[in-house]
Amino acid sequence: MRDKRMTAADVVAELSDGMTVGIGGWGSRRKPMALVRAILDSPVRDLTIVSYGGPDVGLLCAAGKVRRLVFGFVSLDSIPYDPWFQRVRQQGGIEVREFDEGMFYSGLLAASHRLPFLPIRAGLGSDVLRVNPDLKTVRSPYDDEELVAMPALSLDVALIHLNRADRHGNGQYLGPDPYFDDLFCMAAKRRFLSCERIVDTSELDGPPQSLLTNRMMVDGVVETPNGAHFTSCVPDYGRDEAFQRHYAKSASDEDLWPSFVDQFLSRGETGYQLAVQGMS
Amino acid sequence: MSRIDVCVAACADLFLGSGEILASPMGLIPQLGAKLARLTNEPDLLLSDGEAYLLGENGIEGWLPYRKVFDVVAHGRRHVVMGANQLDRFGNQNISCIGDHDKPTRQLLGFRGAPGNTVNHRTSYWVPKHSKRVFVPRVDVVSGVGHDRGFHHVYRVVTNLCVLDFDTPDGSMRLVSTHPGVTVEEVLDNTGFPLDIGEAGRTREPTPRELELIDKLDPDHARD
C-alpha cells in the first residue's frame, strides 16, 4: 500500500493561486492549523476558502491570502468574533458567499455525491437568497413544494486535522465530534490530512466508527504534533484559551499585530511551537 | 429574587408543553431556563451539552454531533432560543452583519443556522438588553425569518424587560407581560417600532422551589 507521508511544505507546494480550499474542523475546533500556518509562509494567494470558520479564516485574512470566503459563520467559540475576519469584511477586503450552516452541509454533501445541488428548506424567506443572487430554488416533482437548490461546494483541495492516522491515509478522530472532515475530503480533488501522530494501522485502536477517513479519501498524510493549536483537538488537548485570547487581542489592534507575527508566525512551525511552549 | 431570575423562569416557560423535543438554548439565561424547565414542568426535554452529547439526568444519554443537529433541525423536533443583534416587529432576526452586506459597518457571526432553524421548527429569542439598537423597524440582513415572510415558527421573545409574542392577526409583535418593576412605557421607549400592548400583564415570579433550583444550577451567580 502507498506510503502517503509528506510535510506541510509538500502540501502547500501543491496549492496554486486562485484555488478553492476547504478547511475541516468547526469554529475554533480541530482546525488543521499547522497546514494553515504553512500557507501563511507560502507565496500562494487569491484563495477561495470554504470553512466552518474559526481562526483559520482570521489568519489567512490577516496574511492577505483570501480572495473569497464561503462560510456560514466565523467564530472563535469562546470569543464570539474573529477580529481579523471582522476587519477585512468591514474594509470590503474579501468577497463572500454566506450560507446558512445547514446549507453549507448540503453543499458539501452534494459535492461529495457528485450531485449539482441538493434541495433544502433552509434559506427560504431569508436574505441568504438576496445576498447570493445566483442561488435558485426548485419545485418538488412530487408535491410542488419550493425548496432551495443548494449548489455543490466542490473543492480543489481539502485540509483536515485528525488525532491519529496511518501512513496510508486511514484517519481517526478520538474526540466526540467528527465535524464534516470526511465530507470535505470527498468534496475535493486533492485531500490532505494532518494528524497528531502517525501510527501503524494496527495501532488505530478505539471504536471502529472513530475511523473517519479511509485511504481512498486521502492523498497525503502529515504528522503535525500540536498541529491544531490553538484550536481544540480533544482528547489530545483542549483549546489553548489563554493563547486564543492573546491572538484575539493582538488581532484587534493593528499596532500589536506585527509583534504577534514576529513572535509566533515568522519562524516556521518549529518556531511557532517553541514560542508557544515559551509562553506557557 | 432578582430580575434575572424572572428572566430564567420566563425562558423556562418557553418550553411549556414541548414534551420530548430537543431544547437548544443559546446563552446562559436560556440554558438555565431550559434546565429549569426540565427539572419542573418538562421532564421529557432533551438537552445538549453544547458540544456533541445529550445530557440526561444521570450523565450522557445520547450523541448529537453537529452533523446530527442538522438532521434534527430538518426533522423539526427542536425549539431553539437564539440571540439577536437586530429584531423587527415580525420577528425577522439579524446575526449576520450591520449595514451593507458587501461592506458591513460591523461584521457579526454570520447567518449560522438561523435561516434553517426558523423555517423548520419553533424559534424563540433572548435579548439581554432590550433597546432600540436591537428592536429596529427593519433589520439590515434577514438571518432568522419572521412572520411576514411566510413562516410561522417564531414563538416568543424574552428580554430583560418583558416577554413578547406574535399572537396578533398579522403576526406582528405583541407585549405579553412586563417583568416586575418594569413599566409598559419603559418597554415602548426602548422599542424602535409600534408595539401592540393589548392587555399586557405582569411576568410571573419564580416560585421558591424554582429559585432554589436556579441557585443550584448556577451556584456562582454567573447569571447576575
Side-chain angles (χ1 to χ4, degrees), chain B residues 1-7 180 203-207 211 214:
Chain B
M1 181 205 59
S2 67
R3 171 88 61 83
I4 207 70
D5 294 331
V6 173
C7 296
T203 313
R204 75 173 182 91
E205 296 185 9
T207 65
L211 288 172
I214 295 169

Side-chain angles (χ1 to χ4, degrees), chain B residues 48-64:
Chain B
S48 156
D49 67 345
E51 301 276 334
Y53 296 121
L54 292 171
L55 288 186
E57 279 168 53
N58 302 306
I60 295 168
E61 66 167 343
W63 183 53
L64 204 71

Side-chain angles (χ1 to χ4, degrees), chain B residues 154-166:
Chain B
V154 186
Y155 177 53
R156 281 187 169 188
V157 183
V158 177
T159 80
N160 61 322
L161 301 181
C162 64
V163 178
L164 305 141
D165 71 8
F166 301 88

Side-chain angles (χ1 to χ4, degrees), chain B residues 18-138:
Chain B
S18 291
E20 211 159 46
I21 63 151
L22 175 65
S24 292
M26 311 289 172
L28 178 65
I29 302 307
Q31 280 164 18
L32 290 171
K35 287 177 184 171
L36 181 64
R38 187 162 72 179
L39 289 169
T40 54
N41 299 308
E42 291 298 324
D44 292 334
L45 277 184
L46 284 82
L47 288 171
S48 156
D49 67 345
E51 301 276 334
Y53 296 121
L54 292 171
L55 288 186
E57 279 168 53
N58 302 306
I60 295 168
E61 66 167 343
W63 183 53
L64 204 71
Y66 285 111
R67 192 178 305 204
K68 285 168 78 88
V69 172
F70 293 137
D71 292 338
V72 177
V73 169
H75 181 59
R77 294 184 67 86
R78 181 171 185 247
H79 182 172
V80 66
V81 186
M82 287 191 282
N85 299 91
Q86 293 180 323
L87 205 54
D88 74 14
R89 63 191 291 252
F90 290 102
N92 294 292
Q93 167 245 32
N94 178 16
I95 49 171
S96 173
C97 64
I98 303 296
D100 180 1
H101 191 266
D102 287 337
K103 192 183 174 190
T105 53
R106 184 163 164 73
Q107 173 65 43
L108 306 166
L109 281 176
F111 283 120
R112 289 230 71 150
N117 291 341
T118 44
V119 296
N120 278 299
H121 54 66
R122 186 174 270 202
T123 299
S124 294
Y125 294 104
W126 157 244
V127 177
K129 194 171 184 315
H130 191 131
S131 73
K132 285 184 174 172
R133 276 172 69 105
V134 177
F135 289 88
V136 293
R138 195 184 151 86

